[in-house]
Amino acid sequence: MTTARNIGLAIEDLSVYYGNFRVLKNVTLQIPSNKVTALIGPSGSGKSTLLRCFNRMNDLIPSARIEGKVYFGENNIYAAGVDPTEVRSRIGMVFQKPNPFPKSIFENVAFGLRINGYRGDMNEAVERALHVAALWDEVKDRLNDGALTLSGGQQQRLCIARAIAVEPEVILMDEPASALDPIATLAIEGLMRDLSREYTILVVTHNMQQAARVSDETAFLMMDDDRAGYLVEHGETQQIFTNPVDERTEAYITGRFG
Amino acid sequence: MNRGSKGSLQAKIVHSLFLLCALVSIVTTVGIVVSLFVESIGFFREVSPWEFLTGTRWSPILKPRSYGVLPLVTGTILVASVALALAVPVGLGIAIYLSEFANDRLRKILKPILEVLAGIPTVVYGYFALTFVTPQLQRLMPDLLVFNALSAGLVMGLMLIPMVSSLSEDAMVAVPRSLRNAAYALGATRLEVCLRVVVPAAISGIVASFILAFSRAIGETMLVTIAAGASPNLTANPLESIQTMTAFIVQLALGEAPHGSLEFQTIFAVGLLLFFMTLIMNILGNIIVRKVREEY
């Protein structure tokens, strides 16, 4: 289990098409394990599309097609015979808008465990996930209340608990704080830092300060003239924000465009 | 200034016009209820409500007369039950298939076919039951009577499938994409997403479609008049010939019962009971829906 925890992600010459339209071209990138990696870039640069390649969520879009390889540890998750549901139970995801199920708080966290045939103590597993998501103290007396009675920030932490409950190795986050107020945002950011001790975290964000605050590494994407996204630069967050190699990165992070 | 007053006059006219439209439905409902009550009063002066509701023999025209409505009620519920036993699983299955599994091309072929099914006049369904389905069933079950509840119920089920499937599908399609994505991202299969997320979230619409189908089934007239028979029969056996409440009303209305006679008034007594049955169904439905629904 400890070795499995150290699996990183790597993509090799990845291109993504929606129909005939290429949204990402020739991206090659290594994501270190047990760190927070931020994907930044202007709208339309394909950050979210890139993120969704890691758990094969793009498979759900009928016109989507990918070329290239995505490695999770040693395995190409797009190889023939790979079950996408298996991939998704090991690489969790948190979405832009909190999307708890219209079920109780408890059932939300238990959902992934139930569908994955979890045989252990459900109460214990739910409590553990809620602790990790720093939500337990707020909800322990109302686990049977509807999830939609929670505030937006609490709902998002519930979604994180739901993802954590199935014990994935990687958590993908698609602008997880963009629909939240500043205080709830800080709570989510603190959580990301804490989670990176045990999980590999990949976060898409529009917010430069957020990327600088939470991430260890940053990848910067841009949109080309043919409107396909491509990777400009990837490195340690410190270096990207203080001493970028590429002048386009510098222009973006200093706010000259985007 | 001018413009303003013109605008407000226009708004008033439009407002009253639409109010009038809304009133039409209210006035109609009230009118029906009042006429049912008024005409039934005469009947219940002669026959006690207790005798009417608990009597097991219905013979309002032929002597010895007897006004126990139960055979009509059981006949009605029997046909409706057969119909729902077919329409609910098939309709829900179609809805699930269309909403979660079918691709766009197939959906574009299937939906119009279902709409055609919904548009066939009930009299056609009636003769379809009598002249096609019943003979086929008789080949399997030689004892089956020409007029029977099974054949009428099955064909009524066919008739109700589009209603169940299209209302259920609407409810399922309305479930937000984000909930499906959440489940997929946890490693759910398509079937799990469908059964554990989409159906529970759409359950109020789905149950509503069942209730509407049931209401429609007990109110359906032409099909059962043609195919189910005209013999009030207190039975739970769908192979027998029965008479539904609606079919009785038709039978009597076509006959020569003089206006104001007790025979004639039975129409309204039976009609009033039918009205209460659908009312109770709808209330029950609302309670069920409120209890089980997941709000998103």
Side-chain angles (χ1 to χ4, degrees):
Chain A
M1 209 58 200
T2 35
T3 50
R5 285 260 175 252
N6 293 322
I7 292 175
L9 294 159
I11 50 185
E12 246 179 59
D13 202 21
L14 180 86
S15 294
V16 181
Y17 300 80
Y18 291 148
N20 291 323
F21 177 55
R22 182 153 72 163
V23 277
L24 266 182
K25 64 177 177 187
N26 311 107
V27 179
T28 296
L29 179 65
Q30 261 111 44
I31 311 291
S33 59
N34 294 67
K35 293 222 163 110
V36 179
T37 300
L39 299 177
I40 62 170
S43 297
S45 57
K47 308 180 293 291
S48 291
T49 301
L50 180 59
L51 192 74
R52 293 162 67 98
C53 287
F54 289 105
N55 64 344
R56 295 192 58 169
M57 283 297 275
N58 286 327
D59 290 20
L60 302 173
I61 301 166
S63 64
R65 183 165 58 83
I66 93 146
E67 284 168 4
K69 288 175 178 145
V70 178
Y71 286 100
F72 178 35
E74 302 285 298
N75 307 313
N76 177 7
I77 61 170
Y78 283 91
V82 173
D83 177 3
T85 62
E86 160 81 19
V87 171
R88 292 182 201 129
S89 66
R90 296 179 64 190
I91 303 181
M93 188 166 202
V94 176
F95 296 83
Q96 190 167 354
K97 259 181 66 187
N99 56 354
F101 298 121
K103 302 177 190 289
S104 69
I105 292 168
F106 184 92
E107 282 305 318
N108 263 276
V109 183
F111 185 91
L113 296 167
R114 291 197 200 285
I115 58 169
N116 288 300
Y118 181 70
R119 297 198 174 278
D121 183 339
M122 195 61 81
N123 292 327
E124 204 179 290
V126 168
E127 180 176 341
R128 197 183 325 124
L130 286 168
H131 269 300
V132 176
L135 192 59
W136 175 252
D137 291 335
E138 290 158 68
V139 301
K140 63 180 177 216
D141 301 320
R142 45 188 287 214
L143 291 175
N144 292 320
D145 287 7
L148 298 176
T149 61
L150 298 173
S151 72
Q154 289 173 322
Q155 286 185 17
Q156 194 63 306
R157 277 181 283 148
L158 180 66
C159 292
I160 292 172
R162 182 174 67 183
I164 288 167
V166 291
E167 305 206 326
E169 287 133 62
V170 181
I171 302 175
L172 309 173
M173 297 186 169
D174 191 355
E175 301 190 46
S178 68
L180 305 180
D181 63 64
I183 292 168
T185 300
L186 279 179
I188 299 285
E189 288 181 5
L191 195 50
M192 282 191 239
R193 295 283 352 145
D194 293 343
L195 290 173
S196 68
R197 282 201 292 272
E198 270 197 71
Y199 303 90
T200 302
I201 295 187
L202 200 53
V203 55
V204 166
T205 177
H206 257 116
N207 180 331
M208 289 309 108
Q209 285 78 26
Q210 184 172 68
R213 280 195 297 266
V214 302
S215 69
D216 303 296
E217 297 199 357
T218 297
F220 172 56
L221 285 84
M222 255 179 73
M223 192 165 62
D224 211 349
D225 294 334
D226 62 359
R227 291 170 59 213
Y230 65 101
L231 180 70
V232 177
E233 189 173 351
H234 170 222
E236 296 206 352
T237 299
Q238 177 81 11
Q239 175 251 316
I240 294 274
F241 276 86
T242 56
N243 189 20
V245 176
D246 196 295
E247 60 183 22
R248 289 168 294 184
T249 313
E250 189 177 359
Y252 183 69
I253 58 174
T254 54
R256 267 186 273 150
F257 76 97
Chain B
M1 230 16 206
N2 269 338
R3 209 182 148 74
S5 61
K6 181 185 163 212
S8 75
L9 181 65
Q10 210 172 37
K12 266 184 197 152
I13 293 172
V14 169
H15 182 251
S16 337
L17 213 64
F18 286 129
L19 183 67
L20 206 67
C21 297
L23 282 178
V24 169
S25 66
I26 296 171
V27 168
T28 313
T29 312
V30 172
I32 289 173
V33 174
V34 167
S35 78
L36 282 174
F37 268 101
V38 168
E39 296 282 348
S40 310
I41 286 171
F43 175 82
F44 286 116
R45 267 198 210 113
E46 302 286 325
V47 180
S48 79
W50 179 253
E51 184 191 341
F52 176 66
L53 289 174
T54 59
T56 55
R57 204 174 79 86
W58 182 254
S59 178
I61 304 163
L62 300 176
K63 287 174 186 164
R65 295 200 176 158
S66 173
Y67 300 95
V69 80
L70 277 181
L72 294 185
V73 174
T74 57
T76 303
I77 291 176
L78 181 61
V79 175
S81 304
V82 173
L84 257 71
L86 177 67
V88 162
V90 177
L92 187 57
I94 291 174
I96 289 174
Y97 183 72
L98 284 178
S99 138
E100 305 300 310
F101 292 90
N103 59 31
D104 272 351
R105 202 151 42 107
L106 211 62
R107 198 175 297 132
K108 276 189 189 128
I109 299 169
L110 268 172
K111 288 198 75 162
I113 293 177
L114 282 167
E115 273 153 29
V116 167
L117 210 57
I120 296 172
T122 56
V123 62
V124 176
Y125 276 113
Y127 280 101
F128 176 65
L130 183 64
T131 63
F132 181 78
V133 176
T134 300
Q136 300 306 318
L137 290 172
Q138 277 172 330
R139 284 163 62 181
L140 298 170
M141 294 169 279
D143 302 342
L144 191 67
L145 298 168
V146 173
F147 297 104
N148 64 82
L150 180 64
S151 172
L154 288 177
V155 174
M156 191 191 285
L158 284 181
M159 187 182 88
L160 295 175
I161 285 171
M163 179 181 217
V164 173
S165 72
S166 99
L167 289 175
S168 298
E169 192 212 342
D170 287 347
M172 289 166 66
V173 167
V175 174
R177 180 94 249 143
S178 65
L179 294 184
R180 292 184 173 84
N181 282 342
Y184 280 121
L186 290 164
T189 62
R190 201 176 268 258
L191 188 66
E192 285 164 341
V193 171
C194 175
L195 296 182
R196 290 173 183 255
V197 176
V198 179
V199 170
I203 197 75
S204 63
I206 291 171
V207 172
S209 82
F210 298 165
I211 288 158
L212 265 169
F214 190 79
S215 293
R216 173 101 196 267
I218 64 176
E220 169 51 33
T221 308
M222 193 49 92
L223 201 170
V224 285
T225 305
I226 295 168
S231 29
N233 193 349
L234 187 68
T235 178
N237 180 0
L239 305 182
E240 288 185 44
S241 191
I242 52 104
Q243 184 171 42
T244 67
M245 298 162 78
T246 51
F248 163 75
I249 293 174
V250 172
Q251 184 195 20
L252 210 101
L254 290 177
E256 313 215 319
H259 191 278
S261 68
L262 188 60
E263 290 99 309
F264 186 78
Q265 283 166 340
T266 55
I267 293 182
F268 293 92
V270 172
L272 188 66
L273 184 58
L274 197 57
F275 174 80
F276 275 116
M277 281 168 69
T278 36
L279 189 69
I280 289 167
M281 270 315 291
N282 287 337
I283 292 169
L284 267 182
N286 274 325
I287 293 169
I288 294 168
V289 165
R290 222 173 297 138
K291 279 225 164 124
V292 295
R293 90 145 130 218
E294 293 184 340
E295 269 182 81
Y296 50 82

